Amino acid sequence: MLNSSEKIIPQLAAQLLSAQRIVVMTGAGVSAESGISTFRDSEDSYWSQFDPMTLASLDGFSDNPQRVWHWYQWRRQQIALARPNPAHVGLAHLQRRLPLYLITQNVDGLHQQAGSQQVCELHGNIFINQCVSVSCNYREQHQDNASDLITCPQCQQAYLRPGVVWFGECLAAERLEAADLASRDCDLFLSMGTSAAVYPAAGFAALAKQSGAQIIEINPAATPLSEHADWVIRAPVGSVFERLMPLLS
Ligand code: BJW
């Protein structure tokens, strides 16, 4: 059901206050108002400009590690300048007050910067480096001054790569399981700022729905989830939180 009337924000506030277990799934649209590009939805988005398999797959990295590393360096610089917006801040506030489990596909760490303590980072974190070799478990926090490719200091054989999940790669089992369990067990599932196109993340709303949860989508554009959602709020998520938070504080 599409509902963009003025009443929708008070209704959302009431749903949040009465829910027993809330799951929020965020995507790139939640960081768009912090100035970070999305992947698919506009001419400026990453996959409109660059080939995803060249930059976000292990094959792409193997073909040209330098190209991939530099792209991630450029994104790290953009992200380092970004600040949490009203949606990140509002969600952190809600997490302190309500039984809210936060799942994000974003790798930018802005939820944590806004004060969210527990965040299930499904696609990893761009400020982690890890050894590309599957037989080496080396991981480190990325240092700002590391602009060139780094050889793994542990195995000394392979390059470090960003600690994000690329196409064709499995998500970390413990995060996948935690997100799966929370989605099956919630009574309110909010999907915000995601095109709901990338699996397995896009499948969690369906798991929640099968368990009887209400599904609410916040996104200015239609997605494959829209027709399955109980309500859709067609607005930028920052403006929704600016109107929502005064009703909850
Ligand atoms: C706003 C807004 C505002 C804008 N307010 N909203 C089942 C079916 C079909 C395919 C598959 C399947 N299972 C697996 C696959 C393959 C693949 C996949 O899903 N492909 C699809 C594209 C078809 N999945 C995988 O490969 C995953 N791995 C996996 O499943 O492993 C098992 C396996 C192994 C081997 C073989 C097969 C399976 C891994 C997926 C990894 C995704 N990685 C990326 C890059 C991460 C690193 C990085 O950041 O560089 O993750 S791709 C990119 O997409 C990134 C995002 O997290 C992800 C989702 O994007 P998101 O967040 O939804 O952003 P957008 O841009 O798509 O949408 C933004 C939305 O915001 C838009 O709707 C706007 O309207 C909205 N918006 N402003 C509110 N102000």
Side-chain angles (χ1 to χ4, degrees):
M1 176 178 66
L2 177 65
N3 192 336
S4 344
S5 75
E6 275 306 302
K7 287 195 194 129
I8 191 83
I9 305 296
Q11 282 170 5
L12 175 60
Q15 285 281 336
L16 284 164
L17 290 172
S18 64
Q20 301 296 308
R21 287 174 302 282
I22 304 161
V23 167
V24 172
M25 164 71 78
T26 66
V30 169
S31 293
E33 288 165 79
S34 293
I36 300 175
S37 295
T38 57
F39 291 90
R40 301 179 174 75
D41 63 313
S42 71
E43 283 177 6
D44 302 331
S45 61
Y46 294 132
W47 302 157
S48 310
Q49 302 175 68
F50 312 111
D51 172 18
M53 297 323 266
T54 301
L55 294 172
S57 75
L58 193 54
D59 284 349
F61 187 77
S62 304
D63 281 353
N64 192 336
Q66 189 94 356
R67 177 171 55 200
V68 174
W69 185 258
H70 282 150
W71 188 64
Y72 277 93
Q73 276 300 100
W74 170 69
R75 283 181 55 201
R76 282 167 170 151
Q77 285 160 9
Q78 279 193 326
I79 292 169
L81 296 173
R83 294 292 166 262
N85 65 51
H88 297 108
V89 174
L91 282 169
H93 179 81
L94 291 185
Q95 248 191 331
R96 288 191 286 274
R97 280 197 57 190
L98 301 174
L100 188 156
Y101 187 74
L102 181 56
I103 307 172
T104 189
Q105 297 167 79
N106 299 343
V107 298
D108 54 35
L110 287 181
H111 286 301
Q112 292 91 329
Q113 223 185 98
S116 279
Q117 300 280 334
Q118 208 199 359
V119 184
C120 179
E121 290 183 309
L122 271 187
H123 293 162
N125 189 297
I126 199 167
F127 294 107
I128 298 287
N129 293 326
Q130 65 191 50
C131 184
V132 75
S133 164
V134 284
S135 55
C136 178
N137 58 4
Y138 184 77
R139 282 168 72 85
E140 65 171 31
Q141 192 71 32
H142 180 75
Q143 305 295 318
D144 280 351
N145 55 2
S147 58
D148 288 327
L149 272 168
I150 305 165
T151 301
C152 175
Q154 184 167 287
C155 71
Q156 310 265 340
Q157 285 180 8
Y159 288 128
L160 298 186
R161 56 164 281 184
V164 299
V165 182
W166 284 331
F167 285 110
E169 292 186 322
C170 292
L171 284 67
E174 72 284 357
R175 280 178 244 151
L176 191 55
E177 195 180 340
D180 184 293
L181 278 176
S183 303
R184 289 177 195 273
D185 193 40
C186 69
D187 56 347
L188 179 60
F189 187 102
L190 264 85
S191 173
M192 44 182 88
T194 173
S195 59
V198 173
Y199 284 82
F204 291 124
L207 294 181
K209 183 135 184 137
Q210 277 162 26
S211 306
Q214 284 259 326
I215 311 294
I216 301 179
E217 178 178 64
I218 307 177
N219 195 320
T223 77
L225 177 64
S226 305
E227 62 182 288
H228 306 288
D230 295 286
W231 314 344
V232 176
I233 305 180
R234 286 268 174 264
V237 70
S239 74
V240 170
F241 272 80
E242 276 169 356
R243 288 183 284 156
L244 176 71
M245 293 317 290
L247 305 177
L248 293 172
S249 35

